Amino acid sequence: MKRELEMIPLDSEIFKFDCHKGLSCFTECCSKLDLLLTPYDVLRIKNRLNMDSKSFIDEYTDMDLEDYPPFPILKLKMREDGRCPFLREDGCSIYEDRPSACRLYPLARASMIVGADNKERFFLIRDEKCLGLNEEREWKIKDWLRHEGVEEYDRFNFPWFEIVTSSEELPAESRERLFKKMKAFFMASYDLDNFKRLILTEKFFQIYNVPPSVREKVFTDEKELLYLSFEWIRFVLYGKRGAVINPMDRSQEM
Ligand code: SF4
Ligand code: SF4
């Protein structure tokens, strides 16, 4: 059973929190979690574990489907005893590559998309087991994000959440075509090794006009590959042409 956590809207830039091994709740927070994984989370953890993306997905994740569009979203699969698979006696075994949600805690974002007034909305996650919330150390939100390395993750999470939470309507289409698009979304989001195999085919660069400077980078730099995958998803879903992907022949598109 997943833990029920209360979300309290934060009205101030400041909150109180401290987490350290001296607290009796140490590692209590790492079980029964409903923990969404972003593509960048998967990239970081599968590399940490020296696994290919497909093997990581099979072993460590469960899939959830959004309502509509039915985006397939990965969650970290908890062990049978409810604990996170990366939890050890002395804490998180993948700490330097822990997922975005673990970095943000005890904060959560209402949405990765900024509101109408251009401000992000943050919540404080109220977990009665978490004694760190009773500590007196004060944090400004921006200092917390920097301290936890969230900013690096945001570079990749924002563009992806923009796709997933977009209010833009998908073009009306058959069930079969929608299924095909969701499969493409999943592969380019999470199964990056497979996406790389796709672009290695001659056909990809025959269809999409990717500048040579980008082509070179995507084969050696997985972060560049991830950016390319987001552009490709936007094109496949909404027909949006980015600066990098411009189809040469629309008759060959998905
Ligand atoms: S203070 Fe909260 S976040 Fe830190 S170990 Fe305890 S339960 Fe987990
Ligand atoms: S990844 Fe690490 S920090 Fe996150 S829930 Fe698992 S053990 Fe805890």
Side-chain angles (χ1 to χ4, degrees):
M1 208 171 90
K2 308 279 186 221
R3 285 219 313 277
E4 294 290 330
L5 301 170
E6 192 187 351
M7 301 279 209
I8 301 169
L10 263 184
D11 298 326
S12 148
E13 284 294 301
I14 301 205
F15 64 99
K16 287 183 181 179
F17 180 69
D18 201 9
C19 173
H20 51 89
K21 288 188 177 178
L23 293 170
S24 60
C25 59
F26 187 63
T27 72
E28 285 277 335
C29 46
C30 299
S31 59
K32 299 181 185 163
L33 293 171
D34 189 25
L35 202 156
L36 179 148
L37 293 171
T38 67
Y40 190 57
D41 291 335
V42 170
L43 172 61
R44 289 281 293 251
I45 306 174
K46 66 116 183 155
N47 286 345
R48 166 85 179 215
L49 302 176
N50 211 10
M51 295 175 88
D52 64 78
S53 47
K54 168 86 171 59
S55 308
F56 173 79
I57 290 166
D58 290 347
E59 189 168 342
Y60 287 107
T61 70
D62 286 323
M63 191 198 291
D64 248 13
L65 280 186
E66 296 281 284
D67 285 344
Y68 196 87
F71 288 120
I73 303 290
L74 290 182
K75 306 260 175 99
L76 187 60
K77 193 189 321 186
M78 298 289 121
R79 293 192 323 211
E80 278 193 7
D81 62 4
R83 287 152 63 94
C84 171
F86 305 122
L87 182 59
R88 304 287 178 269
E89 287 266 302
D90 57 347
C92 178
S93 61
I94 57 161
Y95 188 77
E96 296 78 9
D97 299 294
R98 67 199 182 285
S100 316
C102 304
R103 289 169 187 271
L104 262 180
Y105 183 86
L107 302 182
R109 283 184 168 119
S111 156
M112 296 295 285
I113 306 301
V114 293
D117 56 1
N118 245 9
K119 281 185 80 174
E120 285 177 282
R121 312 262 179 241
F122 286 93
F123 287 72
L124 190 68
I125 302 173
R126 175 66 58 191
D127 179 354
E128 59 187 27
K129 285 189 177 166
C130 178
L131 302 177
L133 294 164
N134 304 333
E135 298 278 303
E136 287 302 316
R137 186 168 180 186
E138 285 195 343
W139 292 93
K140 280 189 181 159
I141 293 175
K142 68 175 172 44
D143 292 336
W144 179 250
L145 301 184
R146 192 169 306 127
H147 183 262
E148 294 297 302
V150 175
E151 290 169 331
E152 154 82 4
Y153 279 65
D154 281 350
R155 285 175 47 215
F156 303 93
N157 290 344
F158 273 124
W160 185 74
F161 274 105
E162 258 172 25
I163 295 169
V164 175
T165 59
S166 168
S167 54
E168 196 165 341
E169 295 263 321
L170 279 177
E173 51 207 339
S174 67
R175 227 179 133 81
E176 191 190 336
R177 202 166 151 80
L178 182 64
F179 178 72
K180 215 170 154 188
K181 284 189 172 184
M182 292 301 128
K183 245 178 115 177
F185 165 85
F186 182 81
M187 187 253 293
S189 293
Y190 290 119
D191 194 356
L192 211 55
D193 293 321
N194 217 0
F195 179 66
K196 192 172 182 176
R197 277 192 280 277
L198 172 79
I199 67 168
L200 272 168
T201 61
E202 280 295 309
K203 211 175 157 204
F204 188 91
F205 292 120
Q206 279 168 17
I207 299 173
Y208 300 106
N209 186 10
V210 179
S213 57
V214 178
R215 279 191 210 191
E216 276 168 31
K217 282 194 223 154
V218 294
F219 290 120
T220 52
D221 184 341
E222 284 183 310
K223 293 179 181 176
E224 291 291 337
L225 184 63
L226 203 54
Y227 279 131
L228 179 68
S229 79
F230 296 154
E231 278 227 26
W232 185 68
I233 292 171
R234 273 191 288 268
F235 181 73
V236 168
L237 294 183
Y238 302 108
K240 283 197 173 158
R241 296 154 187 256
V244 172
I245 287 196
N246 275 300
M248 291 177 172
D249 174 2
R250 290 188 74 95
S251 66
Q252 296 185 70
E253 295 153 19
M254 279 193 65

Short mmCIF file of all heavy atoms in Angstrom, two decimals, residues 3 17-21 23-30 105-106 127 129-133 135, ligand 1:
data_model
loop_
_atom_site.label_atom_id
_atom_site.label_comp_id
_atom_site.label_asym_id
_atom_site.label_seq_id
_atom_site.Cartn_x
_atom_site.Cartn_y
_atom_site.Cartn_z
N ARG A 3 2.02 5.15 0.66
CA ARG A 3 1.80 6.05 1.79
C ARG A 3 0.95 7.24 1.37
O ARG A 3 1.11 7.80 0.30
CB ARG A 3 3.13 6.60 2.29
CG ARG A 3 3.91 5.61 3.07
CD ARG A 3 4.61 6.21 4.28
NE ARG A 3 5.35 7.42 4.08
CZ ARG A 3 6.61 7.46 3.62
NH1 ARG A 3 7.22 6.34 3.30
NH2 ARG A 3 7.24 8.59 3.49
N PHE A 17 13.44 22.60 7.74
CA PHE A 17 13.67 21.17 7.51
C PHE A 17 15.14 20.85 7.74
O PHE A 17 16.01 21.66 7.44
CB PHE A 17 13.31 20.81 6.06
CG PHE A 17 13.52 19.37 5.71
CD1 PHE A 17 12.72 18.37 6.26
CD2 PHE A 17 14.53 18.99 4.84
CE1 PHE A 17 12.92 17.03 5.94
CE2 PHE A 17 14.73 17.66 4.51
CZ PHE A 17 13.92 16.68 5.06
N ASP A 18 15.40 19.68 8.27
CA ASP A 18 16.77 19.18 8.30
C ASP A 18 16.71 17.66 8.35
O ASP A 18 15.86 17.09 9.03
CB ASP A 18 17.53 19.73 9.52
CG ASP A 18 19.04 19.67 9.32
OD1 ASP A 18 19.47 19.36 8.19
OD2 ASP A 18 19.78 19.92 10.28
N CYS A 19 17.59 17.03 7.61
CA CYS A 19 17.60 15.56 7.55
C CYS A 19 19.02 15.09 7.84
O CYS A 19 19.97 15.56 7.21
CB CYS A 19 17.17 15.12 6.15
SG CYS A 19 17.34 13.35 5.90
N HIS A 20 19.17 14.20 8.80
CA HIS A 20 20.51 13.67 9.07
C HIS A 20 20.39 12.30 9.73
O HIS A 20 19.31 11.93 10.23
CB HIS A 20 21.31 14.64 9.94
CG HIS A 20 20.60 15.10 11.18
ND1 HIS A 20 20.67 14.42 12.36
CD2 HIS A 20 19.77 16.16 11.40
CE1 HIS A 20 19.95 15.04 13.28
NE2 HIS A 20 19.39 16.10 12.72
N LYS A 21 21.49 11.57 9.73
CA LYS A 21 21.47 10.19 10.20
C LYS A 21 21.13 10.08 11.68
O LYS A 21 20.73 9.01 12.15
CB LYS A 21 22.81 9.51 9.93
CG LYS A 21 23.02 9.22 8.46
CD LYS A 21 24.26 8.38 8.21
CE LYS A 21 24.38 8.06 6.72
NZ LYS A 21 25.55 7.30 6.38
N LEU A 23 18.66 11.24 13.22
CA LEU A 23 17.22 11.21 13.50
C LEU A 23 16.71 9.77 13.50
O LEU A 23 17.12 8.96 12.67
CB LEU A 23 16.46 12.02 12.44
CG LEU A 23 16.72 13.54 12.45
CD1 LEU A 23 16.12 14.20 11.21
CD2 LEU A 23 16.15 14.17 13.71
N SER A 24 15.79 9.48 14.42
CA SER A 24 15.31 8.09 14.53
C SER A 24 14.48 7.67 13.31
O SER A 24 14.23 6.49 13.09
CB SER A 24 14.48 7.92 15.80
OG SER A 24 13.37 8.77 15.76
N CYS A 25 14.06 8.65 12.53
CA CYS A 25 13.26 8.32 11.33
C CYS A 25 14.14 7.99 10.13
O CYS A 25 13.63 7.79 9.03
CB CYS A 25 12.36 9.51 10.99
SG CYS A 25 13.30 11.01 10.68
N PHE A 26 15.47 7.96 10.32
CA PHE A 26 16.37 7.81 9.18
C PHE A 26 15.96 6.63 8.29
O PHE A 26 15.82 5.51 8.77
CB PHE A 26 17.82 7.66 9.68
CG PHE A 26 18.81 7.67 8.55
CD1 PHE A 26 18.94 8.79 7.75
CD2 PHE A 26 19.57 6.56 8.27
CE1 PHE A 26 19.83 8.81 6.70
CE2 PHE A 26 20.47 6.57 7.22
CZ PHE A 26 20.60 7.70 6.43
N THR A 27 15.76 6.90 7.03
CA THR A 27 15.33 5.99 5.95
C THR A 27 13.84 5.60 6.00
O THR A 27 13.37 4.87 5.13
CB THR A 27 16.18 4.68 5.86
OG1 THR A 27 15.86 3.83 6.95
CG2 THR A 27 17.65 4.95 5.82
N GLU A 28 13.11 6.10 7.00
CA GLU A 28 11.66 5.80 7.07
C GLU A 28 10.93 6.29 5.81
O GLU A 28 9.89 5.78 5.45
CB GLU A 28 11.03 6.51 8.27
CG GLU A 28 11.34 5.90 9.61
CD GLU A 28 10.42 4.74 9.92
OE1 GLU A 28 9.31 4.71 9.38
OE2 GLU A 28 10.83 3.86 10.69
N CYS A 29 11.48 7.36 5.22
CA CYS A 29 10.80 8.00 4.09
C CYS A 29 10.95 7.21 2.79
O CYS A 29 10.30 7.53 1.80
CB CYS A 29 11.37 9.40 3.89
SG CYS A 29 13.17 9.39 3.96
N CYS A 30 11.79 6.20 2.77
CA CYS A 30 12.12 5.52 1.51
C CYS A 30 11.33 4.23 1.31
O CYS A 30 11.88 3.22 0.84
CB CYS A 30 13.62 5.26 1.44
SG CYS A 30 14.60 6.77 1.48
N TYR A 105 12.13 16.44 -2.10
CA TYR A 105 11.51 16.22 -0.80
C TYR A 105 12.21 17.02 0.29
O TYR A 105 13.44 17.05 0.32
CB TYR A 105 11.56 14.72 -0.44
CG TYR A 105 10.87 14.43 0.86
CD1 TYR A 105 9.50 14.21 0.91
CD2 TYR A 105 11.57 14.48 2.07
CE1 TYR A 105 8.86 14.01 2.12
CE2 TYR A 105 10.93 14.28 3.28
CZ TYR A 105 9.58 14.04 3.29
OH TYR A 105 8.94 13.87 4.49
N PRO A 106 11.52 17.74 1.20
CA PRO A 106 10.09 17.64 1.50
C PRO A 106 9.20 18.57 0.67
O PRO A 106 8.07 18.85 1.05
CB PRO A 106 10.04 18.08 2.97
CG PRO A 106 11.10 19.13 3.06
CD PRO A 106 12.19 18.67 2.13
N ASP A 127 4.60 14.56 6.25
CA ASP A 127 4.63 13.13 6.57
C ASP A 127 4.89 13.03 8.08
O ASP A 127 5.96 13.45 8.55
CB ASP A 127 5.77 12.47 5.77
CG ASP A 127 5.90 10.99 6.04
OD1 ASP A 127 5.19 10.48 6.94
OD2 ASP A 127 6.72 10.34 5.37
N LYS A 129 5.80 10.79 9.91
CA LYS A 129 6.98 10.03 10.32
C LYS A 129 8.26 10.83 10.16
O LYS A 129 9.31 10.45 10.69
CB LYS A 129 7.10 8.77 9.47
CG LYS A 129 6.09 7.70 9.85
CD LYS A 129 6.40 6.44 9.12
CE LYS A 129 5.46 5.34 9.54
NZ LYS A 129 5.52 4.21 8.62
N CYS A 130 8.21 11.89 9.40
CA CYS A 130 9.43 12.64 9.07
C CYS A 130 9.73 13.67 10.15
O CYS A 130 9.13 14.74 10.20
CB CYS A 130 9.27 13.31 7.71
SG CYS A 130 10.71 14.29 7.25
N LEU A 131 10.72 13.35 10.97
CA LEU A 131 11.06 14.24 12.08
C LEU A 131 11.86 15.46 11.61
O LEU A 131 11.97 16.45 12.32
CB LEU A 131 11.85 13.48 13.14
CG LEU A 131 11.12 12.25 13.71
CD1 LEU A 131 12.01 11.52 14.71
CD2 LEU A 131 9.81 12.66 14.38
N GLY A 132 12.39 15.37 10.40
CA GLY A 132 13.14 16.50 9.84
C GLY A 132 12.28 17.75 9.72
O GLY A 132 12.80 18.86 9.72
N LEU A 133 10.98 17.56 9.63
CA LEU A 133 10.08 18.70 9.49
C LEU A 133 9.92 19.46 10.81
O LEU A 133 9.38 20.56 10.83
CB LEU A 133 8.70 18.24 8.99
CG LEU A 133 8.71 17.67 7.56
CD1 LEU A 133 7.44 16.88 7.28
CD2 LEU A 133 8.88 18.79 6.55
N GLU A 135 12.58 20.10 12.67
CA GLU A 135 13.87 20.74 12.93
C GLU A 135 13.78 22.24 12.64
O GLU A 135 12.88 22.69 11.92
CB GLU A 135 14.96 20.10 12.05
CG GLU A 135 15.17 18.62 12.32
CD GLU A 135 16.07 18.35 13.50
OE1 GLU A 135 17.21 18.83 13.49
OE2 GLU A 135 15.63 17.65 14.46
S1 SF4 B 1 14.10 13.41 8.32
FE1 SF4 B 1 12.49 12.87 6.88
S2 SF4 B 1 13.61 12.77 4.97
FE2 SF4 B 1 15.15 12.64 6.59
S3 SF4 B 1 15.39 10.46 7.00
FE3 SF4 B 1 13.84 11.18 8.41
S4 SF4 B 1 11.94 10.73 7.31
FE4 SF4 B 1 13.54 10.69 5.80
#
